[in-house]
Amino acid sequence: MKILTFNAWHGLDGKGTLSHGELETPAGRACRLERQVWKLSECGPDLAFLQEVNPLPRRLPQLARALCMNTVSQTDLCGIKIWGKGVPTNLTSGLAILAKYELRKLEGLRLSGSRWSFATPHLSFQLVETRYALLAELRNSPMGRLLLVNTHLHHGLEPSQRLLEELQRLFDCNIVSAAQRDEILKLLNRARERRARESHRLLDRVEKLAPAYDGVILAGDMNADPESATVKQFRNHDLVDIVPAGLNTWDKTANPHLFRLSENFELTVPDFGIAAVRSMLRTHESRPTRLDYIFTSKKLSARVQAVNLFGHDMDPEKSISDHFGIYATLH
C-alpha cells in the first residue's frame, strides 16, 4: 500500500479581508493544479493526506474523479461563509483524505482557534486562524481497519537554537533593542506553545480511538522541524516517524521558483523595519528542513519498505507546491 502526504499550497499571501493576495497569475495557478493531478496520478497512492486544498468544495471532487478515489474532508481556514459565499472570497482551504478503499469520516476535530468558531461544508465563522484535524476510518484495506488522521498545525516560526543565537547576536550588536528582542521571543514561544496544545489535543483523541483499530496512520504538515518539541510529542505517544533523516520537504535551493513567489507571504513575527531582522527571519523561514510527516503505529512501521520525496523531481519553474510531499510503501 502506497501512502502519500502532501501540502498542495493555496498560493495566497495571507493579507486582506475581502480577499487574500494571490501569489500566482490565474493562468499559472491553473497550470500548477493541472500538474498536481498529473503528478498524483503518476505516483498512484492508495491513500493520500492532502493539506491546503483550496477551494476545497471545487478542488476535491476534481481530484477524486481524476484519481478514482473515495474522499473525506474538513474545511480549516475559510473565514465567514454561507453556502460557499463570503469572505475572504478566495479562501476555503481544507484537509482531505483520499483512498482506494472504503473510507468513512469520523470527525473534524478543532485543535485551536476561538471557541466560537466553526467550519462546516455550508456554514463557517472564523475571525482568527483556526486549525483542525481530520479523523477517518479506512476499511477493507490490506492493512486491516485503520484509524487515519490528517492535520496541519499552526504556522509560526520555530524557535530553533540557531535563530535564537542570531537574535541574541543582533541584540549584542545593538541592532535590536531589549524590547524588540523580547517581543520576537514572546511570539516565537507563543507559536511553539500553540502547536504543543494542538498536538496534545489531537494525541488525546487518537489515544482514545486507537485501541479499536488494527493500526494508526497520522500524517500532515506539522510546521515544525524533526528535532522540535512538537514532533517529539508524537514520537512519545507510541507513534513512529517512518521518514528517514535527510528528506527535506521544505527547501528553497531545490524549489526556488515558488519560494520567490512566497517572499510576499506575511511572516508571523515583526521585523520592526530593521533590514537585519528581516533578513534573519526570511533566512530562517526558508531554511532546508522537513515540515511534513507520516507517523504510524509500531505494528505498521515494521511493514515500511521505502520512503521517498514527492514532487521534488520537476523543473523548478513547474513546481507543484512550496512543499515537497512524502510517500511511503508498506508491504
Side-chain angles (χ1 to χ4, degrees), residues 27-317:
R29 174 179 170 80
C31 289
R32 180 174 64 84
L33 295 182
E34 287 180 6
R35 291 194 297 272
Q36 280 187 359
V37 173
W38 171 77
K39 196 66 179 176
L40 287 166
S41 299
E42 181 186 61
C43 180
D46 300 293
L47 179 61
F49 299 80
L50 304 183
Q51 305 87 43
E52 290 193 25
V53 180
N54 183 54
L56 183 66
R58 186 167 73 245
R59 181 62 175 161
L60 186 55
Q62 294 171 347
L63 291 170
R65 288 192 299 269
L67 302 173
C68 298
M69 299 176 80
N70 301 313
T71 67
V72 293
S73 63
Q74 173 61 48
T75 307
D76 55 5
L77 300 175
C78 52
I80 302 172
K81 300 282 180 8
I82 300 175
W83 293 99
K85 305 294 183 182
V87 293
T89 57
N90 56 353
L91 179 66
T92 308
S93 182
L95 305 166
I97 300 176
L98 298 85
K100 292 183 178 177
Y101 310 102
E102 187 179 352
L103 191 60
R104 181 174 72 93
K105 181 176 178 178
L106 298 176
E107 65 178 308
L109 178 67
R110 190 179 68 214
L111 302 178
S112 65
S114 168
R115 61 183 295 187
W116 307 111
S117 67
F118 57 88
T120 71
H122 307 302
L123 191 65
S124 66
F125 181 80
Q126 295 175 350
L127 298 178
V128 295
E129 178 193 337
T130 306
R131 294 292 176 175
Y132 278 84
L134 170 62
L135 288 82
E137 177 181 292
L138 188 69
R139 300 174 177 176
N140 304 320
S141 82
M143 305 297 169
R145 181 168 165 262
L146 303 180
L147 175 64
L148 308 180
V149 185
N150 186 10
T151 194
H152 188 183
L153 300 185
H154 169 62
H155 171 73
L157 292 183
E158 181 76 13
S160 70
Q161 186 62 37
R162 184 172 180 178
L163 178 62
L164 297 178
E165 290 172 355
E166 178 63 13
L167 177 59
Q168 184 61 36
R169 186 189 69 79
L170 294 180
F171 171 72
D172 293 339
C173 294
N174 296 316
I175 295 173
V176 300
S177 67
Q180 290 167 335
R181 178 199 60 185
D182 292 347
E183 177 67 12
I184 292 173
L185 287 172
K186 181 182 74 173
L187 294 173
L188 292 174
N189 288 325
R190 182 183 295 173
R192 178 177 58 189
E193 290 162 5
R194 178 169 176 172
R195 282 190 293 272
R197 291 192 299 271
E198 291 171 344
S199 303
H200 181 74
R201 179 167 171 76
L202 176 56
L203 289 166
D204 273 356
R205 188 65 178 142
V206 170
E207 284 188 346
K208 289 181 175 67
L209 295 173
Y213 292 88
D214 297 316
V216 178
I217 301 174
L218 188 156
D221 177 0
M222 306 304 172
N223 273 315
D225 298 325
E227 302 80 17
S228 66
T230 298
V231 173
K232 288 176 183 176
Q233 277 185 275
F234 289 94
R235 292 177 180 147
N236 290 338
H237 281 75
D238 293 324
L239 291 171
V240 179
D241 178 5
I242 65 171
V243 182
L247 290 185
N248 291 331
T249 60
W250 185 255
D251 193 336
K252 179 179 181 179
T253 301
N255 197 7
H257 176 64
L258 290 190
F259 268 75
R260 282 196 299 271
L261 295 181
S262 298
E263 286 177 354
N264 290 326
F265 191 86
E266 189 171 16
L267 289 173
T268 56
V269 176
D271 60 26
F272 302 104
I274 302 171
V277 175
R278 186 180 311 114
S279 176
M280 174 191 73
L281 295 175
R282 288 295 180 190
T283 298
H284 179 71
E285 175 73 4
S286 61
R287 71 203 182 282
T289 189
R290 176 159 62 94
L291 303 179
D292 305 85
Y293 298 82
I294 300 175
F295 295 95
T296 71
S297 48
K298 290 181 179 179
K299 182 179 178 180
L300 289 179
S301 70
R303 307 183 73 166
V304 175
Q305 284 190 316
V307 181
N308 299 281
L309 286 175
F310 168 78
H312 66 297
D313 53 352
M314 304 185 72
D315 184 324
E317 298 294 320

